[in-house]
């Protein structure tokens, strides 16, 4: 993180650049990456409290939405403070995806819809879903075209990876197809499915996509851990905006810094003027996150159970002992959180490098699991259609 202790340089080429996604203008070209299990209303509200941006929902499967699954219907609801309302869909079937988009639009449930084509999870790619899908050009085209048409005035975007592996790249074709289909922007996580979350994102691919897709914004994603990284990605690749995922885990205030660096002072929320990341500041954000989760789940024990997975991210690098961390990771009430926070040295300063860098998923490269014969043709054969029929399982994202 770059804190007020060391403000990120404002670059003339990236400063105060708004981002237009269809009719939506964002004061800062910043998007919260959809993250299953993380970017629920609670986390989105928290991030938004720091700065301007587009805060995307957790991934919603189109079939569950069309079937009006009760959990799904709860996941797509937004708090009144959330505008624009953004929902990410995951689908493999053109008709179901179209029906899901239509439901969102006709019932006025979203101001922006994103389609996820980046999931690398084996149980998804094995069926031809996620990052495997854009390999089948016709299927990809049909899904995006029908979804964009059903979206009408609501801007529809596409989020994807570079491809299946380095020998089977899909992003340039997919970007052009999506542009033709009428999307309002394309976002690239600059890794292949085979890379999973390992190594470094290849930002040169974002620059290549920017050259290929010329009529709508290109958003870059992968390995932004600080506002300075975001400015560097924009300067190096020419991308129109950044999508930030793991870098904001346990650091929702990163959105204030991103807004200040990429959008200028007006993009920063008034209450987030200064970021003083003492342990007290971090503990207050953690407490606020827990409180918002309790509100979201409408269940104190459930909300507190959910905050447990964020403990290591919030307190990374801070002088919080093992016993205290363990207690935080088992909290079941807000009062318990308050009691534990009261034992911390709240004046402990921002620890610098120890709080920086990678957090969240990492992992090692994996040979992608694919349906038999998937790579032999870029058109969909009968056997692949069968695999796709049950590709839309519950899974954890991109
Ligand atoms: C816990 C977790 C859940 C994710 N879930 C989704 C998802 O639901 N949809 C999606 O498109 N990407 C998902 N992703 C991928 C992120 O949106 C993003 O593309 C990826 O983390 C790379 O960006 P980063 O380096 O800024 O984290 C997920 C990532 C993580 C770490």
């Amino acid at each position: 993180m770059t804190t007020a202790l060391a403000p990120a340089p404002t670059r003339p080429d990236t400063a105060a650049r708004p981002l237009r996604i269809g009719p939506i203008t964002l004061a800062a070209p910043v998007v919260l990456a959809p993250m299953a299990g993380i970017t629920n209303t609670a986390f989105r509200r928290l991030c938004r409290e720091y700065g301007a941006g587009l805060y995307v929902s957790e991934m919603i499967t189109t079939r569950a939405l069309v079937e009006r699954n009760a959990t799904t219907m709860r996941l797509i609801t937004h708090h009144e403070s959330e505008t624009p309302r953004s929902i990410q869909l995951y689908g493999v079937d053109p008709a179901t995806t179209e029906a899901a988009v239509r439901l969102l639009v006709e019932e006025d449930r979203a101001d922006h819809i994103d389609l996820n084509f980046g999931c690398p999870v084996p149980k998804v790619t094995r069926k031809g879903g996620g990052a495997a899908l854009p390999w089948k050009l016709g299927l990809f085209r049909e899904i995006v075209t029908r979804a964009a048409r059903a979206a009408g005035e609501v801007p529809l975007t596409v989020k994807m990876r570079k491809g299946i592996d380095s020998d089977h790249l899909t992003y340039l074709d997919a970007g052009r197809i999506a542009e033709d289909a009428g999307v309002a922007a394309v976002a690239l996580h600059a890794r292949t499915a085979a890379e999973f979350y390992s190594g470094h994102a290849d930002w040169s691919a974002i620059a290549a996509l920017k050259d290929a897709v010329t009529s709508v914004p290109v958003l870059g994603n992968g390995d932004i851990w600080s506002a300075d990284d975001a400015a560097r990605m924009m300067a190096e690749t020419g991308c129109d905006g950044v999508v930030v995922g793991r870098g904001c885990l346990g650091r929702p205030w990163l959105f204030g810094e991103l807004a200040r660096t990429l959008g200028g002072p007006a993009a920063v929320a008034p209450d987030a003027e200064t970021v003083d990341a003492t342990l007290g500041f971090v503990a207050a954000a953690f407490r606020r996150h827990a409180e918002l989760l309790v509100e979201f789940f409408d269940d104190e024990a459930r909300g507190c159970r959910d905050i447990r997975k964020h403990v290591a991210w919030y307190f990374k690098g801070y002088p919080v002992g093992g016993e205290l961390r363990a207690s935080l990771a088992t909290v079941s009430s807000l009062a318990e959180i308050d009691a534990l926070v009261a034992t911390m040295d709240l004046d402990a300063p921002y620890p610098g490098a120890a709080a920086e860098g990678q957090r969240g998923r990492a992992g090692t490269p994996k040979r992608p699991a694919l349906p038999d014969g998937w790579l032999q043709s870029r058109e969909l054969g009968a056997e692949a259609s069968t695999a796709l029929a049950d590709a839309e399982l519950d899974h954890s994202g991109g």
Side-chain angles (χ1 to χ4, degrees):
M1 180 186 70
T2 315
T3 67
L5 308 169
T10 304
R11 294 166 198 249
D13 54 342
T14 55
R17 205 198 275 182
L19 171 64
R20 286 194 185 82
I21 298 183
I24 298 172
T25 300
L26 301 169
V30 176
V31 179
L32 165 65
M35 288 185 281
I38 308 283
T39 61
N40 49 33
T41 315
F43 190 63
R44 296 194 309 263
R45 282 174 68 188
L46 183 63
C47 293
R48 189 185 290 278
E49 286 174 3
Y50 295 94
L54 185 62
Y55 296 96
V56 186
S57 78
E58 306 182 66
M59 183 194 65
I60 304 293
T61 66
T62 54
R63 202 198 289 170
L65 179 57
V66 169
E67 289 169 359
R68 292 183 184 269
N69 170 289
T71 307
T72 302
M73 296 314 279
R74 205 172 58 80
L75 284 178
I76 63 164
T77 56
H78 288 80
H79 184 260
E80 62 198 20
S81 66
E82 292 192 85
T83 172
R85 301 160 301 168
S86 172
I87 294 181
Q88 187 188 55
L89 295 179
Y90 169 73
V92 297
D93 174 61
T96 313
T97 307
E98 180 183 339
V101 170
R102 183 158 293 130
L103 183 154
L104 294 178
V105 173
E106 285 176 356
E107 298 180 11
D108 185 22
R109 292 176 181 270
D111 305 306
H112 162 245
I113 299 169
D114 184 49
L115 297 183
N116 175 4
F117 293 102
C119 184
V121 174
K123 74 177 178 188
V124 170
T125 56
R126 187 178 295 124
K127 306 280 184 191
L133 196 144
W135 181 253
K136 300 296 182 187
L137 296 170
L139 176 63
F140 177 79
R141 185 189 305 277
E142 193 184 348
I143 292 176
V144 180
T145 304
R146 287 174 68 169
R149 205 177 301 137
E153 299 299 303
V154 173
L156 181 105
T157 58
V158 157
K159 179 167 176 283
M160 59 191 174
R161 286 194 177 227
K162 279 173 65 184
I164 293 173
D165 57 32
S166 55
D167 293 328
H168 302 90
L169 298 177
T170 54
Y171 70 107
L172 293 176
D173 290 332
R176 291 192 199 99
I177 291 172
E179 186 179 20
D180 281 353
V183 302
V186 295
L188 179 66
H189 177 192
R191 283 187 173 85
T192 61
E195 289 172 297
F196 220 67
Y197 288 86
S198 67
H200 296 285
D202 165 21
W203 289 3
S204 72
I206 298 167
L209 184 63
K210 179 69 187 153
D211 287 341
V213 171
T214 53
S215 66
V216 294
V218 170
L219 310 179
N221 174 230
D223 298 351
I224 290 175
W225 309 108
S226 67
D228 207 24
D229 285 344
R232 197 163 50 79
M233 178 192 276
M234 290 190 73
E236 284 178 14
T237 69
C239 68
D240 302 288
V242 295
V243 182
V244 180
R246 292 165 299 163
C248 66
L249 295 173
R251 285 192 310 177
W253 56 88
L254 180 59
F255 286 95
E257 298 181 20
L258 290 163
R260 188 177 293 114
T261 303
L262 302 180
V268 183
D271 293 345
E273 269 328 319
T274 51
V275 172
D276 175 13
T278 57
L279 181 51
F281 175 88
V282 172
F286 174 79
R287 169 64 161 83
R288 172 88 181 128
H289 193 169
E291 192 181 299
L292 291 170
L293 281 169
V294 168
E295 194 184 314
F296 168 61
F297 287 112
D298 194 21
D299 177 338
E300 183 162 0
R302 179 90 195 276
C304 289
R305 246 194 341 266
D306 204 68
I307 196 68
R308 296 173 186 174
K309 66 178 165 221
H310 298 268
V311 169
W313 295 324
Y314 273 99
F315 297 105
K316 180 177 187 301
Y318 283 87
V320 175
E323 218 170 289
L324 184 47
R325 281 172 195 265
S327 303
L328 285 165
T330 56
V331 287
S332 48
S333 72
L334 293 173
E336 225 179 297
I337 292 178
D338 291 338
L340 292 169
V341 166
T343 68
M344 292 179 185
D345 172 11
L346 298 177
D347 293 329
Y350 168 63
E356 296 289 336
Q358 172 128 10
R359 46 187 64 220
R361 285 180 188 173
T364 46
K366 295 181 176 49
R367 192 155 162 269
L370 297 167
D372 286 343
W374 188 256
L375 294 174
Q376 278 159 23
S377 160
R378 297 212 64 182
E379 293 307 323
L380 195 61
E383 68 301 331
S385 307
T386 316
L388 272 166
D390 53 341
E392 218 176 305
L393 301 166
D394 273 353
H395 64 85
S396 61

